[in-house]
Amino acid sequence: MSSFVCETHLNIRPYQYHVINRSFKYAHIIYLRLLSLEKRKLDEFDKIDKVIELRGKLKVVKDAKKKKAIQSVLSSFRKQCNLRRFDIINDVKEFYKPYKEYITSQMAQSIAKRVDASVSDYVENLDVEFNVNRIVRSIESESTTNGIKFDGSNVIFKDMLLPIKVRKDSYFHKAIANCELKYIRLVKRIGKTKPYIIAQFIFKGDAIAKSNIKVGNGDVGIDIGTSTIAYCSNDDVKIEEFSKELVKTDEKISLINKQLDKIRRTNNPENFNDNGTIKKKEERVPWKRTNHYKKLLQKLRYLKVKFTNQRKNLYEHQVNDLISKGNRFIIEPMDYAKLAKKEKETKKDENGRFLDKSRYGKSLLNHAPSTFIGILERKLGYFNIALEKVNSTTFKASQYDHVKDEYIKCDLDVRIKDIGGHKVQRDLYSAFLLMNAADDLKETDKQKCSERFEKFLSLHEIEIQRLQSQKNISCIGI
């Protein structure tokens, strides 16, 4: 069954923070001890004949029936090694008993389920490795009757009342009144000077649409790049940079990274080779971290988290505005993971100098277009509207010319195209073609393009005038 999450801040007193922090500490200890035990079992699991072979096949096989057959065989081997979820939940009992004053049985079970998920991933995927340095940043119960409870205005943890900080007319109260509460999770978040605790309320069912989101009428084509978004609807044509209003923190982060590197090299010379590179893991001794180093590391984490949260909030507002433009949304999917990777082939320029292998990694890190698409899909789900994705192999929005009815390849540097004697911005025209996608999403509907092209040109001219009156990033081409 589907579920959704509401987050609220808590009014926590110092002594309450101390108790909750201790619970997190003990949850981490239980997690590590249980993980260590299951890892030893997995070493025995790998020694069984055919296990490595079956895991290798599972990674390659695509047929659903064959995959299911392999998984059932691996499941029988897991049972043989006491690696099932039932066995892992039994194992956690002996670890949580010394800390049962701070960790309830249901909290311990939720920790066991995390370890079970890691074991399942390891069994079914050869590339997965256990991360023993993972810190437990959340604790939860499986219901609101044990461990973490709620009385309507306070979260109750270990008989302590933790008042929630929400407005009377907030979305949270709407969810509490209309949906069934499954359980509550306490989460530790990175703060400026020290971590802070928030509460996540997990509700059953689909999320309720907010009153400030209004759905428009008509088709909307969205062309999403690595740093820009262009959209075209019946009444509006626009292109803008992702997260333009955000204050960039690149310089601050770069400066802190340099400081951290300098301190690391000064205090740990034995972990570096003569040429300045870090020694292999087997040759290194434990890293020495000064208090100043830890403070800088905390500051770096806070800057990154702050930037991410601000960007997410901005995307929420941008998506609300975009949804008001229509009720059918069409995009062309992109593989952002591939775009972030460096080029494998080493190339040289005319003068024999090596060319940079980097591609769009930094741009994707700063603008996170996948996050925007995820928020758009989630909010459209409130209204039972699916985000439609064209077949990028056959559609080719960046190459098609609806006037000539042919596909013409052009370099990425070309930002202005000539369509029927009219100069149009490349991304805006791609959004226009996506808006006029055929019902099968394999190609553009030429008839729709012909009927709507004149209106697109008039809206396009208004947008170009707006762009010419301001400073834009180079990839827009205006």
Side-chain angles (χ1 to χ4, degrees), residues 91 94 96 100 107 117 149 155 190 240 259 263 294-295 300 306 319 346 356 359 364 366 393 406 456 458 471:
D91 291 337
E94 61 176 289
Y96 100 89
K100 62 183 177 182
M107 287 181 192
K149 306 171 188 176
V155 172
I190 294 169
E240 56 188 353
Q259 289 176 301
I263 295 169
K294 289 175 183 176
K295 284 180 182 178
L300 179 66
K306 185 181 177 182
V319 167
T346 305
D356 190 3
R359 297 174 76 196
L364 291 169
N366 287 330
T393 309
E406 58 183 34
F456 165 73
S458 61
K471 188 177 179 182

Side-chain angles (χ1 to χ4, degrees), residues 21-252:
N21 209 34
R22 184 163 287 187
S23 297
F24 275 100
K25 179 185 174 183
Y26 294 148
H28 182 60
I29 292 168
I30 294 165
Y31 174 79
L32 289 181
R33 288 180 178 176
L34 184 61
L35 194 67
S36 178
L37 174 64
E38 304 311 321
K39 201 169 185 305
R40 289 197 295 274
K41 288 184 187 178
L42 279 169
D43 290 338
E44 296 298 319
F45 175 78
D46 284 339
K47 290 175 184 177
I48 299 172
D49 293 338
K50 294 186 178 180
V51 162
I52 299 293
E53 185 186 339
L54 286 169
R55 286 171 64 202
K57 281 182 182 178
L58 192 64
K59 196 175 178 181
V60 178
V61 170
K62 293 183 179 179
D63 184 62
K65 287 184 179 178
K66 289 181 180 178
K67 210 167 191 176
K68 199 170 182 179
I70 295 169
Q71 284 173 338
S72 65
V73 176
L74 286 171
S75 181
S76 64
F77 287 139
R78 280 183 71 174
K79 185 179 179 180
Q80 186 180 324
C81 295
N82 297 324
L83 279 166
R84 296 170 302 167
R85 174 178 284 197
F86 171 79
D87 301 313
I88 296 171
I89 289 172
N90 272 341
D91 291 337
V92 81
K93 288 178 182 176
E94 61 176 289
F95 295 124
Y96 100 89
K97 281 178 183 177
Y99 312 109
K100 62 183 177 182
E101 187 183 342
Y102 291 90
I103 302 292
T104 64
S105 59
Q106 285 197 8
M107 287 181 192
Q109 281 184 27
S110 70
I111 293 169
K113 285 177 182 178
R114 291 183 205 180
V115 175
D116 172 63
S118 299
V119 169
S120 298
D121 288 343
Y122 179 84
V123 169
E124 296 185 9
N125 192 333
L126 284 168
D127 296 334
V128 174
E129 290 184 8
F130 284 114
N131 182 9
V132 293
N133 297 317
R134 178 185 172 190
I135 298 171
V136 173
R137 296 194 180 275
S138 66
I139 51 175
E140 62 191 45
S141 295
E142 294 186 332
S143 69
T144 53
T145 57
N146 182 300
I148 307 170
K149 306 171 188 176
F150 184 63
D151 67 357
S153 58
N154 301 290
V155 172
I156 304 169
F157 179 73
K158 284 187 58 57
D159 299 327
M160 297 186 302
L161 296 179
L162 311 173
I164 57 172
K165 294 164 71 174
V166 289
R167 299 191 308 272
K168 288 182 180 178
D169 58 342
S170 69
Y171 181 82
F172 172 77
H173 287 294
K174 197 176 179 181
I176 282 285
N178 295 288
C179 302
E180 185 184 346
L181 182 63
K182 286 172 73 175
Y183 60 92
I184 302 166
R185 181 188 296 132
L186 296 180
V187 183
K188 189 187 282 189
R189 289 276 170 84
I190 294 169
K192 193 170 184 179
T193 53
K194 68 174 184 178
Y196 63 95
I197 313 294
I198 65 158
Q200 287 185 344
F201 292 78
I202 291 80
F203 294 94
K204 285 182 181 178
D206 297 322
I208 306 165
K210 290 186 178 180
S211 56
N212 63 334
I213 308 174
K214 293 180 181 178
V215 181
N217 188 33
D219 300 333
V220 181
I222 309 167
D223 183 67
I224 297 178
T226 56
S227 57
T228 59
I229 174 172
Y231 66 83
C232 179
S233 68
N234 293 331
D235 304 313
D236 196 13
V237 168
K238 197 169 188 180
I239 182 170
E240 56 188 353
E241 182 188 0
F242 275 122
S243 57
K244 187 180 179 181
E245 298 168 21
L246 275 178
V247 178
K248 299 290 189 293
T249 55
D250 293 358
E251 291 182 8
K252 289 181 181 178

Side-chain angles (χ1 to χ4, degrees), residues 213-428:
I213 308 174
K214 293 180 181 178
V215 181
N217 188 33
D219 300 333
V220 181
I222 309 167
D223 183 67
I224 297 178
T226 56
S227 57
T228 59
I229 174 172
Y231 66 83
C232 179
S233 68
N234 293 331
D235 304 313
D236 196 13
V237 168
K238 197 169 188 180
I239 182 170
E240 56 188 353
E241 182 188 0
F242 275 122
S243 57
K244 187 180 179 181
E245 298 168 21
L246 275 178
V247 178
K248 299 290 189 293
T249 55
D250 293 358
E251 291 182 8
K252 289 181 181 178
I253 288 171
S254 178
L255 180 64
I256 293 172
N257 276 326
K258 286 176 184 176
Q259 289 176 301
L260 288 170
D261 185 59
K262 188 177 179 181
I263 295 169
R264 198 161 45 238
R265 289 175 183 275
T266 304
N267 295 323
N268 303 277
E270 64 278 4
N271 285 343
F272 292 88
N273 296 314
D274 295 334
N275 60 359
T277 57
I278 298 175
K279 288 182 179 179
K280 290 182 179 179
K281 194 175 182 179
E282 302 78 33
E283 300 173 9
R284 292 201 301 258
V285 297
W287 293 93
K288 296 170 190 171
R289 293 184 172 186
T290 61
N291 288 333
H292 181 53
Y293 182 90
K294 289 175 183 176
K295 284 180 182 178
L296 281 173
L297 200 61
Q298 172 69 17
K299 191 177 179 182
L300 179 66
R301 287 172 182 160
Y302 173 70
L303 280 173
K304 288 181 177 180
V305 169
K306 185 181 177 182
F307 178 77
T308 304
N309 290 339
Q310 286 177 345
R311 182 180 61 202
K312 183 180 177 293
N313 289 337
L314 184 61
Y315 284 178
E316 296 277 354
H317 291 292
Q318 283 182 325
V319 167
N320 290 350
D321 181 54
L322 187 59
I323 290 174
S324 67
K325 306 295 179 185
N327 59 357
R328 186 190 179 214
F329 298 85
I330 307 136
I331 65 166
E332 186 173 18
M334 290 177 71
D335 191 341
Y336 294 110
K338 281 186 180 179
L339 290 172
K341 289 179 182 177
K342 290 185 176 182
E343 289 185 4
K344 292 182 180 179
E345 190 180 345
T346 305
K347 296 178 182 177
K348 294 182 180 180
D349 63 8
E350 297 171 354
N351 301 319
R353 293 178 181 174
F354 288 104
L355 293 171
D356 190 3
K357 285 186 176 183
S358 61
R359 297 174 76 196
Y360 301 101
K362 191 174 181 181
S363 178
L364 291 169
L365 176 68
N366 287 330
H367 299 103
S370 291
T371 303
F372 183 89
I373 294 169
I375 293 169
L376 178 60
E377 282 185 301
R378 171 170 57 81
K379 293 207 171 190
L380 288 175
Y382 299 161
F383 306 98
N384 297 318
I385 300 172
L387 180 62
E388 298 180 34
K389 298 178 182 180
V390 299
N391 186 331
S392 53
T393 309
T394 58
F395 199 92
K396 300 176 186 175
S398 61
Q399 298 177 25
Y400 186 63
D401 183 334
H402 81 277
V403 176
K404 295 179 180 177
D405 194 20
E406 58 183 34
Y407 296 94
I408 304 165
K409 280 191 176 183
C410 55
D411 294 333
L412 279 173
D413 297 337
V414 179
R415 308 313 301 170
I416 305 296
K417 296 175 77 174
D418 191 314
I419 307 294
H422 301 281
K423 301 288 184 185
V424 295
Q425 205 277 342
R426 176 181 178 150
D427 300 322
L428 291 174

